[in-house]
């Protein structure tokens, strides 16, 4: 934390469920809220998910999936679903390889103010500010 406050780039790993939970984790570790808000530039949370095999996938016509993808990601293309029987290339399970899903939370004035207020539930406040 001190190195980040002096202008050094500090990259670290931390185990949390999502990006806003990082702030709560830092406070649990004993970091002062004003130090967190002053040194935090961004947080990138990531998950690894199984990727549908291209040759064993088929387009799905689920309305909920298309609506969520269009609204949340701005995606209007086809959504593919893994075939439960798979193919010879994926070993019959419908999945081949992995794909990363990332969440980036960039510090803002509103997020800095919420961290400095040191409210009772920093995770919920950070979540609300991160999505604003």
């Amino acid at each position: 934390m001190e190195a980040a406050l002096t202008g050094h780039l500090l990259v670290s790993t931390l185990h949390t469920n999502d990006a806003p939970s990082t702030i709560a984790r830092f406070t649990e570790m004993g970091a002062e809220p004003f130090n967190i808000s002053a040194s935090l530039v961004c947080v990138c949370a990531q998950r690894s998910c199984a990727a549908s095999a291209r040759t064993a996938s088929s387009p799905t016509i689920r309305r909920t999936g298309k609506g969520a993808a269009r609204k949340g990601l701005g995606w209007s293309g086809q959504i593919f679903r893994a075939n439960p029987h798979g193919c010879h290339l994926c070993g019959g399970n419908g999945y081949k390889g992995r794909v990363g899903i990332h969440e980036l939370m960039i510090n803002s004035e509103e997020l800095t103010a919420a961290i400095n207020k040191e409210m009772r539930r920093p995770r919920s406040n950070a979540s609300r500010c991160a999505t604003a």
Side-chain angles (χ1 to χ4, degrees), residues 33-129:
F34 65 89
N35 283 336
I36 298 169
S37 64
S39 60
L40 186 71
V41 175
C42 69
V43 176
C44 180
Q46 61 183 2
R47 293 216 180 244
S48 179
C49 298
S52 297
R54 297 261 183 214
T55 55
S57 299
S58 58
T60 182
I61 308 175
R62 290 159 114 192
R63 285 185 170 174
T64 55
K66 278 195 141 185
R70 183 176 289 123
K71 184 178 179 183
L73 303 172
W75 177 259
S76 59
Q78 287 185 322
I79 298 175
F80 291 88
R81 184 176 71 178
N83 182 344
H85 304 294
C87 66
H88 70 283
L89 295 175
C90 65
N93 65 9
Y95 297 98
K96 185 165 178 72
R98 306 213 42 95
V99 64
I101 298 176
H102 300 82
E103 173 188 15
L104 182 65
M105 180 179 76
I106 300 172
N107 200 358
S108 64
E109 290 180 17
E110 186 179 7
L111 182 58
T112 298
I115 295 169
N116 288 336
K117 282 184 183 177
E118 196 178 0
M119 296 182 183
R120 286 186 171 184
R121 297 187 315 183
R123 191 252 178 263
S124 62
N125 294 327
S127 295
R128 189 176 67 243
C129 293

